[in-house]
Amino acid sequence: MRIGIPRELKPLEGRVGLIPAAAAELVRHGHQVFIEKNAGIKSGYSDDNFRSVGVEVLNSASDVYGKAEMIVKVKEPIKADLELLRKDHLLFCYLHLAALPELTETLKKIGLTAVAFETVEEDGRLPLLAPMSDIAGRLSIQVGTHLLHQPMGGKGILLGGVPAAKRGRVVIVGPAWPAVLPPPWRPASAPR
């Protein structure tokens, strides 16, 4: 199969559809993999990282879409992506179709096959969604801490505390934090 990885176009998106190690596995199994120039830069992977595992680096998204049968992205396609998608493409990425009915209709009009990362199941688990959920959960502490700062409209609370003030307290609503890991906002020496 010819697999293409275009550069992500959505604002603030820095991930890449496949990292070099995953692309290497596909190449090892006989697939051709193409990536758009600089598609991995924001994730810390140079074009040479991809070339070294047998991936062909192409100059533009249109080159990638033109050569590929399967398109692997991270985020759902936006206008510029949609203009390059064809009926014979297999699209594999996060789609969020329930929240984006216009995208659903556009993909139906194109007539391609699309598989949403968030719907892939294995033994009742969501293996492609789980890592992103883990990252979002950990990032939530950083975002919450930032929003507690007075310039952001918060109460000026420091989660770690200072000698003359009470330390902040955190309540997590949702699945329990893994018991083997101390929450990152509480030093191991802090009282429980």
Side-chain angles (χ1 to χ4, degrees), residues 55-131:
V55 174
E56 185 178 343
V57 178
L58 302 177
N59 286 327
S60 69
S62 61
D63 291 340
V64 171
Y65 283 89
K67 282 192 164 196
E69 299 167 287
M70 178 183 203
I71 301 296
V72 180
K73 292 179 44 52
V74 176
K75 293 300 286 174
E76 69 277 359
I78 60 175
K79 187 177 187 299
D81 299 308
L82 292 167
E83 291 170 356
L84 296 172
L85 283 168
R86 302 183 313 260
K87 180 182 174 109
D88 62 317
H89 277 140
L90 168 60
L91 175 63
F92 193 43
C93 63
Y94 288 108
L95 286 171
H96 313 293
L97 295 178
L100 300 168
E102 311 83 33
L103 177 59
T104 305
E105 290 306 313
T106 302
L107 293 175
K108 284 170 50 179
K109 283 179 188 163
I110 293 170
L112 57 71
T113 299
V115 179
F117 285 173
E118 65 269 22
T119 63
V120 174
E121 255 188 77
E122 182 179 61
D123 298 325
R125 295 177 35 252
L126 301 168
L128 302 178
L129 190 57

